[in-house]
Amino acid sequence: MSLYCGIACRRKSFWCYRLLSTYVTKTRYLFELKEDDDACKKAQQTGAFYLFHNLAPLLQKSEHQYLPPQHSLLELEKLLSKFGQDTQRIEDSVLIGCSEQREAWFALDLGLTSSSSINASLQKSEMETELTGSFIELRKALFRLNMKDASLLSTAQALLRWHDAHQFCSRSGQPTEKNVAGSKRVCPSNKIIYYPQMAPVVITLVSDGARCLLARQSSFPKGMYSALAGFCDIGESLEEAVRREVAEEVGLEVERLHYSASQHWPFPNSSLMIACHATVKPGQTEIQVNLRELEAAAWFSHDEVVTALKRNHPYTQQQNGTLPFWLPPKLAIAHQLIKEWVEKPTCSSLPA
């Protein structure tokens, strides 16, 4: 019996090591590609490319969702050649990940032009016909992608946008040069290194215990309400940013808060969404909407939020002709925050 248990324990340890080893191996491989230009060029030979046009990914419709097709380096070279483009354009591609089998994944925008590029932007309609797909704005397509593809294309768009906006050194004004992976840009004249960055944003679901506070901006789709959100100011801690945003937008003072999760969000210019739950001081629940920030804000009961979460078609009118309020789709971290509150509305929290 003891021998069997010993073997079982060793087997369990072995499989745990295999699982960890796969992740570590993959992470180390990506690190190597980011640091070694020759290794990254070699990886392109057997890698897969996702195509964009002016930051819109190439997608193909499959039943009720979108799928991003992959292209090999050879297919990409043939495509560029057919449209009279130099294969040097491939140097504008960025590394966005890899498979567990170490197949590297890259993204290339055929609509944007870099400061060092000798090629003009390719025509969108001609490319769509040739590639049997459509370049669709990511914001419109995001919620019709599976989780893996949504994350991958969000990373790709964020990197492509960052490189497009950082082609010149802010100190010297000279063109910067990207490494093969696209993990950094360097100014040749003063050797300053620029790395892609994300802007930290706090997104907070405020509760008074029995109700949660939801708000909307004028830019939101009609009828949609979400959690409060705002960029962190320089010098602020996470807790300070949450307290300030709630006070600024709805005139309430946070008593307690706790962290929930985080999510990369590609809009408007690549943000790190830091999700928190917050409770306000008892007896201080009167909302004072800051109309410079919000169009509306209101308290919603547990039952109202449960009903909203069950809505599959948010634009369906009620009998009185009005549209019911609806919530962000499942892929958004705001949806996760709201769902957590519904499932455990009186969760424990820490002083702010």
Side-chain angles (χ1 to χ4, degrees):
M1 183 67 179
S2 60
L3 177 61
Y4 174 80
C5 288
I7 294 173
C9 289
R10 284 197 294 273
R11 282 179 176 173
K12 184 178 180 181
S13 176
F14 171 74
W15 287 112
C16 288
Y17 175 78
R18 281 285 302 274
L19 183 62
L20 176 64
S21 176
T22 300
Y23 173 76
V24 171
T25 301
K26 179 178 171 180
T27 303
R28 290 286 181 87
Y29 178 60
L30 287 172
F31 177 81
E32 178 188 359
L33 298 188
K34 292 175 183 177
E35 297 298 316
D36 188 330
D37 283 351
D38 290 335
C40 195
K41 287 180 180 178
K42 184 177 179 181
Q44 288 179 343
Q45 303 295 319
T46 56
F49 289 79
Y50 294 84
L51 301 182
F52 286 69
H53 192 282
N54 287 329
L55 300 178
L58 177 70
L59 299 171
Q60 294 173 337
K61 195 170 184 180
S62 175
E63 296 182 350
H64 301 297
Q65 67 174 349
Y66 288 122
L67 298 174
Q70 294 181 335
H71 296 82
S72 68
L73 179 64
L74 181 60
E75 290 172 333
L76 188 52
E77 289 175 337
K78 288 181 178 178
L79 177 71
L80 292 172
S81 178
K82 182 172 183 176
F83 285 89
Q85 297 282 309
D86 196 306
T87 55
Q88 180 186 348
R89 192 185 193 105
I90 297 172
E91 294 178 7
D92 293 334
S93 65
V94 294
L95 175 70
I96 57 174
C98 73
S99 69
E100 292 185 355
Q101 292 73 38
R102 305 214 306 181
E103 176 194 58
W105 299 326
F106 299 86
L108 176 64
D109 198 302
L110 301 173
L112 299 176
T113 55
S114 69
S115 58
S116 59
S117 176
I118 61 174
N119 299 295
S121 171
L122 292 169
Q123 292 298 313
K124 178 181 175 181
S125 58
E126 295 177 7
M127 299 300 297
E128 289 177 329
T129 301
E130 179 66 24
L131 296 167
T132 63
S134 300
F135 291 105
I136 302 173
E137 184 182 340
L138 185 58
R139 188 185 287 271
K140 295 179 180 178
L142 192 63
F143 299 115
R144 295 181 67 182
L145 294 164
N146 63 42
M147 191 72 74
K148 170 183 168 292
D149 290 338
S151 177
L152 201 64
L153 295 183
S154 293
T155 299
Q157 191 202 62
L159 271 173
L160 291 168
R161 181 193 285 113
W162 183 85
H163 281 283
D164 183 53
H166 291 79
Q167 297 184 41
F168 297 88
C169 176
S170 61
R171 182 70 61 84
S172 69
Q174 297 298 310
T176 54
E177 298 174 353
K178 68 178 277 295
N179 64 338
V180 176
S183 60
K184 60 186 176 183
R185 298 188 75 92
V186 180
C187 176
S189 65
N190 54 32
K191 306 305 178 185
I192 292 178
I193 302 175
Y194 295 90
Y195 295 98
Q197 297 178 336
M198 295 187 291
V201 174
V202 290
I203 179 165
T204 309
L205 187 66
V206 178
S207 171
D208 66 355
R211 304 172 299 174
C212 73
L213 189 152
L214 299 171
R216 58 172 283 105
Q217 298 177 350
S218 58
S219 60
F220 284 9
K222 190 174 182 179
M224 192 188 87
Y225 279 73
S226 186
L228 301 177
F231 291 96
C232 296
D233 282 348
I234 289 179
E236 281 186 324
S237 66
L238 169 61
E239 294 82 0
E240 290 168 338
V242 169
R243 288 174 62 89
R244 176 184 53 77
E245 280 294 331
V246 174
E248 281 183 356
E249 296 192 350
V250 292
L252 298 175
E253 186 171 348
V254 169
E255 181 182 40
R256 303 168 74 85
L257 68 90
H258 76 273
Y259 168 80
S260 172
S262 63
Q263 177 188 46
H264 169 250
W265 193 245
F267 317 113
N269 292 304
S270 194
S271 302
L272 176 62
M273 308 298 292
I274 307 167
C276 296
H277 290 277
T279 55
V280 295
K281 291 188 175 183
Q284 298 183 17
T285 58
E286 183 180 349
I287 299 172
Q288 298 175 352
V289 178
N290 183 343
L291 295 178
R292 291 186 179 182
E293 295 283 340
L294 303 174
E295 183 180 81
W299 290 106
F300 293 87
S301 69
H302 186 269
D303 288 344
E304 286 176 317
V305 176
V306 169
T307 301
L309 283 171
K310 292 179 179 178
R311 288 195 182 99
N312 293 322
H313 303 288
Y315 294 107
T316 302
Q317 288 190 347
Q318 295 178 326
Q319 290 182 349
N320 61 6
T322 62
L323 285 171
F325 88 94
W326 57 284
L327 302 171
K330 293 180 180 179
L331 192 63
I333 200 166
H335 184 100
Q336 178 181 321
L337 270 176
I338 295 166
K339 188 177 179 182
E340 285 175 351
W341 180 80
V342 162
E343 294 173 350
K344 197 175 181 182
T346 57
C347 51
S348 60
S349 54
L350 300 173

